[in-house]
Amino acid sequence: MDIDLPDVLAEVSAAFARYEAALVSNDTAVLGELFRNDPRTLRYGMGENLYGYDEIQAFRGARSPVGLMRRTERTVITSYGRDTAVASTLFYRDSAPGRVGRQMQTWVRFAEGWRIVAASVSMIDEPKEVSKDNA
């Protein structure tokens, strides 16, 4: 299996960037497009477990558009073959000082393009950096 084919990484990176832009601007149409419209698609969120596209869409439609801005760091996208990839990122919000969010998405290429089939979002206290002397 080919891992991290440059053209596949470029495609998924562009889809991920499109997702991020839609997320912080609350563009629910694009967010809906990027999740696979399937009852098996799931999203585990900060306070919700969403099973199926319809539950994800209902959540997006009811969510407040306030306070969605964030910055991402340490984004890692890894592709497996030509049709599957995992995107992982840390994110920070000014409204949550001392906390770090974690997001993972599984992307699959379908006839209609790259779609998220599974996602998980969580937030924890910012870990103390472990120095090499203490490792």
Side-chain angles (χ1 to χ4, degrees), residues 2-130:
D2 292 319
I3 296 176
D4 288 345
L5 292 166
D7 60 320
V8 175
L9 284 178
E11 291 172 11
V12 178
S13 294
F16 180 83
R18 189 168 176 236
Y19 173 88
E20 270 301 305
L23 182 69
V24 299
S25 66
N26 201 38
D27 187 337
T28 57
V30 171
L31 292 171
E33 174 192 332
L34 293 176
F35 271 82
R36 172 81 169 159
N37 188 346
D38 189 287
R40 294 165 291 195
T41 298
L42 59 92
R43 179 185 177 276
Y44 294 149
M46 299 287 213
E48 64 285 338
N49 297 317
L50 306 172
Y51 287 82
Y53 182 82
D54 291 342
E55 287 185 16
I56 295 167
Q57 284 301 94
F59 168 79
R60 293 277 188 221
R63 188 167 87 158
S64 170
V66 177
L68 297 177
M69 290 304 298
R70 67 188 198 170
R71 74 179 192 285
T72 59
E73 289 184 10
R74 301 192 71 179
T75 300
V76 176
I77 297 174
T78 305
S79 66
Y80 301 92
R82 301 204 68 79
D83 299 317
T84 306
V86 175
S88 306
T89 196
L90 300 178
F91 64 88
Y92 298 87
R93 289 203 162 106
D94 290 342
S95 61
R99 309 265 292 157
V100 58
R102 303 168 307 172
Q103 173 183 297
M104 293 188 76
Q105 301 166 330
T106 301
W107 291 79
V108 176
R109 182 199 311 265
F110 293 94
E112 64 272 21
W114 286 99
R115 298 295 183 262
I116 300 165
V117 297
S120 181
V121 182
S122 62
M123 187 168 274
I124 62 171
D125 290 336
E126 179 74 29
K128 303 284 187 248
E129 291 298 321
V130 178

